[in-house]
Amino acid sequence: MTRTPVYTTGYVICVVLGIADVVGVAGIAMDDAPPAVVVILGGVLGLVTLAAAVPAWRGNRAGHFTVAGSRALSGLLALPAFFVDAPTWARLLAGGLVLLTIVGLGLLLSGAPRHAMAR
């Protein structure tokens, strides 16, 4: 299977975001932490991303879409920070994560090997 540089870049961004979600669970005890449900769901979605990353790298179609879906849902979890009374750092972090998610998904899906999108 040949991977394009675009796909590889999107894949790496998505995997790094998955790792960040898992590591972010450690912040649950912070003073200005998001609600525990959001942190735990983010951690679970990060684990889903990491679990699906290996099959996706090997060309598995379901793994590919699982990575994309878990990253999309994780990006959506960051959106409430813009609509509630959140600290400035949380809004900046959420904005950066949403932007990275959009870029990662765009690269991942546009550069996907054709057989991963077919069927």
Side-chain angles (χ1 to χ4, degrees):
M1 179 177 106
T2 57
R3 293 174 197 88
T4 64
V6 171
Y7 176 82
T8 303
T9 303
Y11 176 86
V12 169
I13 290 172
C14 288
V15 169
V16 168
L17 287 171
I19 292 169
D21 278 353
V22 172
V23 172
V25 173
I28 201 166
M30 290 178 45
D31 290 338
D32 291 337
V37 172
V38 172
V39 175
I40 292 169
L41 279 175
V44 168
L45 288 170
L47 288 174
V48 169
T49 299
L50 297 176
V54 173
W57 187 252
R58 292 181 180 159
N60 183 289
R61 182 174 174 241
H64 177 80
F65 285 111
T66 302
V67 168
S70 64
R71 290 295 83 219
L73 290 174
S74 181
L76 290 174
L77 277 178
L79 292 179
F82 300 110
F83 303 106
V84 297
D85 187 26
T88 303
W89 68 265
R91 289 179 188 205
L92 290 172
L93 181 62
L97 291 175
V98 169
L99 180 64
L100 271 174
T101 298
I102 291 169
V103 169
L105 286 175
L107 293 172
L108 183 76
L109 295 175
S110 68
R114 294 297 153 225
H115 73 276
M117 303 299 283
R119 287 190 211 166

